[in-house]
Amino acid sequence: MSTQERLRDNAKEAAELITSTTDTVDRGSGNLKWRHFKGTILSVLGWASIIFGLGVLAILIIDVINRATGIFTGGQNWLTWDFFNNFDSRFAQRAGARAAIVGTLYTISLTILFAFPLGVAAAIYLEEYANDNWFTRLVEINISNLAAVPSIIYGLLGLQVFARWLMLGRSIITGALTLALLVVPIIIVASRESIRAVPLSLRQASYALGATRWQTTWYVVLPQAIGGILTGSILAVSRAIGETAPLITIGALTFVPFLPRNLFDIFTVLPIQIFNWTSRPQDDFRALAAAGIVVLLAILLTINALAIYLRIRYQKRY
Amino acid sequence: MAVTDLQKQSSFLRNTREKLIQVALLLAATVSILTTIGIVFSLLFETIAFFREVSIIEFLTETEWTPLFSVKKYGIWPLLSATLLTSAIALLVAVPLGLVAAIFLSEFASDNVRRTIKPLLEILAGIPTVVYGYFALTTVTPFLKNFIPTLSIFNSLSAGIVMGVMLIPYVASLSEDSLSAVPNSLREAAYGLGSTRFEVATRVVAPAAISGIVASIVLAFSRAVGETMIVAIAAGQNPRFTFDPTVPVMTMTSYIVQVSLGDTPYGSLSYYTLYAVGFTLFLFTFILNIFSYWMVRKFREVYD
């Protein structure tokens, strides 16, 4: 091959290379619209999935209110005074949720009594006292694991330990202890975050005045952290109010036509009452269940509003 | 003299009080360990009692579960298959919707939109599960029956779909957290190379946050496996070894509910089955939790 021929080949190759490169660039810039458009598609899909989730929520709420009161499509209103004042009955027209609502109030008050001091104390220990050693790490791993254990497993624990071994039976106190163990990890996590957010300088100022560790914790750290602690604890309580499975497992009854006389009495709660009415095939009982759901959701809504109010009320800026 | 004595005394009182308080706080922290020990031991004791009467081979290989019939068979597979089926349907709903929502909220939405939408989505996770169960049975199943006429009143399809809606915020919120944690310098570098927003989100940010995303999916799976009231109400009470989503089935959790509702005498074999099933369930979720914990640790991208 002569030099001239080789040069010509080279030139041809170079020309081809240039054309192909320009092609790519052209295709690339033509593609740019498509590349941006993919982002638009993702935005649309993002909105679509959010609207789907919230849409289901809206349908659920409207549907339940309609079944309970007949407000949209007509029908009997089940959310009457009788609903709050009557005990459960075999006849839907006479059935009410009085025992269930009172049972929920008793159980949840006791749960708060057990869980709140325990959770906050554990959080104070982990944030203000604990050294970074194997024990602290063990406690931390335990807490994160317990938060992910299914609630029905806590029911099996309560049945065995509280109802059987401690011989507390199928009582309110067994239910409250079981729910307390269930929500303690949630309270610990929320309280720790809130305690950690208190700036170190406040503690140092307190120590400089000669305060002990506990005095610093009690008079300086806790007043600053109480807003977050309360918010987290209230959300934990709202979780406990809706729990059904662990209480069914420890043997809370589905048919209780009287108010509990003391803490060792058998009981029922609102979610179990709803479950019981849902499992009956008659339409009237389904409507009663819807009325129960409206009451339950109203309670949860109030509690969450309280949590939001507290968060705003105690919001601290450093 | 007297003053020093007084000082000594008060500092002694003060130190004692400090010590006592510290011990009390330590005991409160120990409760979490005691709870775990309590769970493991209470499950283990009764499970061992169960396996004294039923062979472990029958438990793992038999495909029928009939402990309440006259011919008793103890094969876990019908309960396990139902649990996996409902969970799989739930994940098919929750993972795509949750992930798209997470990427959208983290990379495309404005701060205002994110601040409004995230708490709204989290309401979905706060609705009691008994309410979802009611909704699945009374609304979703009749609606799906318009498209699938052969659908039974109790089925794993509508239970799974509703459970999936409940799990959307678990996937979306946790994934969004880990997407937001990816440092902006990575995004800026990718934009500097001429990437579009979509390319930055899917090829740079999402891969960097993959450990958190996978952990959120595993956590959602673990929730689905342990979820009780939705499946107990809407999926039925019929233990059968099937993967047909239109027929009634019975999950592990539904079985525990069914036995708990009846009057089971302590020490009977059906009482022990509660704990054998409960232990299987616990083991299942425990492995998933450990896996997600390990996943986050192992594949976390560390930025300084």
Side-chain angles (χ1 to χ4, degrees):
Chain A
M1 202 185 282
S2 70
T3 320
Q4 211 182 353
E5 276 176 333
R6 211 180 301 140
L7 275 176
R8 204 191 304 142
D9 275 2
N10 280 354
K12 219 187 267 171
E13 260 176 48
E16 270 169 24
L17 200 68
I18 288 167
T19 349
S20 69
T21 317
T22 337
D23 269 5
T24 319
V25 172
D26 278 351
R27 226 182 291 136
S29 64
N31 244 348
L32 195 58
K33 266 187 194 150
W34 167 238
R35 283 166 64 202
H36 279 300
F37 188 62
K38 281 196 272 190
T40 316
I41 295 177
L42 204 144
S43 282
V44 171
L45 288 179
W47 274 119
S49 37
I50 288 164
I51 290 168
F52 175 76
L54 296 181
V56 170
L57 181 68
I59 292 171
L60 185 156
I61 290 172
I62 293 168
D63 184 52
V64 166
I65 291 177
N66 186 40
R67 280 170 198 270
T69 61
I71 196 165
F72 300 116
T73 55
Q76 193 181 341
N77 178 14
W78 294 85
L79 261 181
T80 57
W81 173 244
D82 282 349
F83 179 78
F84 295 95
N85 200 35
N86 287 4
F87 291 111
D88 194 10
S89 161
R90 285 185 296 121
F91 307 102
Q93 297 296 342
R94 277 191 234 154
R98 186 169 171 190
I101 292 171
V102 174
T104 291
L105 284 179
Y106 280 13
T107 315
I108 294 304
S109 313
L110 264 186
T111 303
I112 297 171
L113 208 65
F114 294 135
F116 183 71
L118 203 59
V120 176
I124 292 174
Y125 178 78
L126 290 171
E127 283 303 314
E128 301 291 314
Y129 284 82
N131 302 312
D132 187 22
N133 55 23
W134 65 269
F135 177 78
T136 312
R137 274 197 297 277
L138 185 67
V139 171
E140 281 176 346
I141 292 175
N142 258 299
I143 291 167
S144 65
N145 185 51
L146 283 178
V149 169
S151 60
I152 197 165
I153 299 286
Y154 283 90
L156 291 174
L157 168 77
L159 177 65
Q160 185 75 356
V161 175
F162 300 131
R164 189 98 31 222
W165 289 345
L166 297 181
M167 289 186 290
L168 296 171
R170 308 178 155 195
S171 61
I172 295 183
I173 206 153
T174 300
L177 284 169
T178 307
L179 288 182
L181 289 186
L182 182 70
V183 297
V184 158
I186 309 175
I187 296 178
I188 294 179
V189 171
S191 305
R192 285 189 73 179
E193 255 172 53
S194 183
I195 292 172
R196 206 177 305 147
V198 177
L200 196 62
S201 54
L202 288 179
R203 294 185 184 83
Q204 285 164 341
S206 167
Y207 287 131
L209 290 171
T212 61
R213 188 172 277 210
W214 175 246
Q215 285 165 339
T216 305
T217 307
W218 185 254
Y219 293 106
V220 177
V221 177
L222 280 183
Q224 297 292 319
I226 195 69
I229 292 176
L230 285 179
T231 313
S233 304
I234 288 171
L235 294 180
V237 167
S238 80
R239 163 103 193 268
I241 291 176
E243 276 297 344
T244 324
L247 295 180
I248 290 181
T249 314
I250 63 156
L253 293 185
T254 52
F255 187 82
V256 180
F258 53 83
L259 291 182
R261 288 166 297 250
N262 57 50
L263 297 182
F264 298 95
D265 214 346
I266 54 170
F267 69 112
T268 192
V269 291
L270 201 45
I272 292 184
Q273 186 70 71
I274 294 167
F275 172 61
N276 175 253
W277 283 334
T278 307
S279 337
R280 298 194 206 175
Q282 299 92 329
D283 279 343
D284 282 357
F285 279 109
R286 296 270 164 89
L288 272 172
I293 289 173
V294 171
V295 174
L296 183 64
L297 291 182
I299 294 174
L300 291 177
L301 193 73
T302 317
I303 285 179
N304 280 285
L306 183 68
I308 292 169
Y309 167 76
L310 281 173
R311 183 154 51 196
I312 296 166
R313 170 91 169 64
Y314 283 99
Q315 214 153 41
K316 282 267 154 37
R317 281 167 297 266
Y318 297 108
Chain B
M1 220 24 210
V3 173
T4 354
D5 274 356
L6 214 74
Q7 268 176 345
K8 259 188 200 155
Q9 203 188 358
S10 86
S11 94
F12 172 76
L13 276 177
R14 192 165 144 158
N15 287 341
T16 317
R17 202 187 57 181
E18 288 286 314
K19 279 272 147 57
L20 282 177
I21 288 170
Q22 179 159 5
V23 170
L25 295 175
L26 177 76
L27 285 179
T30 318
V31 167
S32 71
I33 300 178
L34 291 180
T35 311
T36 307
I37 293 175
I39 288 174
V40 171
F41 275 85
S42 60
L43 292 177
L44 211 56
F45 279 157
E46 310 299 327
T47 307
I48 290 170
F50 172 78
F51 282 122
R52 273 204 208 104
E53 297 188 41
V54 177
S55 85
I56 196 159
I57 297 168
E58 179 183 349
F59 188 70
L60 293 177
T61 56
E62 180 65 54
T63 56
E64 278 181 71
W65 179 263
T66 55
L68 307 176
F69 293 179
S70 51
V71 183
K72 297 185 190 323
K73 288 185 175 170
Y74 299 95
I76 192 69
W77 283 105
L79 304 185
L80 208 56
S81 68
T83 303
L84 292 177
L85 179 62
T86 49
S87 308
I89 296 169
L91 287 186
L92 278 178
V93 174
V95 171
L97 293 177
L99 279 188
V100 170
I103 294 179
F104 167 71
L105 285 176
S106 158
E107 303 301 313
F108 289 82
S110 67
D111 273 356
N112 273 335
V113 170
R114 180 169 45 236
R115 267 201 297 271
T116 325
I117 296 291
K118 239 184 137 180
L120 274 178
L121 269 184
E122 272 158 20
I123 297 177
L124 280 172
I127 302 274
T129 53
V130 69
V131 177
Y132 279 118
Y134 178 88
F135 183 65
L137 179 67
T138 60
T139 307
V140 176
T141 298
F143 174 73
L144 290 176
K145 229 176 149 94
N146 295 332
F147 308 100
I148 314 166
T150 56
L151 196 68
S152 310
I153 296 171
F154 301 104
N155 60 81
S156 41
L157 186 63
S158 63
I161 291 175
V162 171
M163 190 148 73
V165 173
M166 178 188 83
L167 292 174
I168 289 174
Y170 285 90
V171 178
S173 196
L174 285 174
S175 299
E176 204 270 329
D177 286 345
S178 63
L179 288 168
S180 300
V182 173
N184 256 336
S185 56
L186 258 67
R187 292 189 185 85
E188 281 152 11
Y191 282 128
L193 290 171
S195 306
T196 61
R197 199 174 256 231
F198 177 81
E199 287 155 0
V200 172
T202 56
R203 294 195 204 161
V204 176
V205 182
I210 194 72
S211 70
I213 292 174
V214 174
S216 80
I217 295 172
V218 174
L219 183 78
F221 185 33
S222 160
R223 288 267 158 200
V225 167
E227 172 41 47
T228 307
M229 296 321 292
I230 300 178
V231 287
I233 292 173
Q237 304 282 333
N238 308 51
R240 62 173 105 188
F241 187 36
T242 175
F243 286 99
D244 180 355
T246 62
V247 296
V249 291
M250 183 187 237
T251 65
M252 294 192 275
T253 49
S254 317
Y255 176 73
I256 296 176
V257 167
Q258 191 200 30
V259 174
S260 302
L261 286 173
D263 203 17
T264 336
Y266 172 70
S268 64
L269 191 53
S270 58
Y271 181 83
Y272 293 142
T273 58
L274 272 184
Y275 284 84
V277 173
F279 190 67
T280 315
L281 175 66
F282 177 71
L283 221 58
F284 219 93
T285 53
F286 184 72
I287 291 169
L288 287 175
N289 297 342
I290 295 288
F291 177 72
S292 100
Y293 192 76
W294 172 82
M295 188 71 207
V296 171
R297 289 262 151 143
K298 173 103 178 167
F299 293 103
R300 181 168 47 193
E301 305 272 340
V302 182
Y303 310 98
D304 43 19

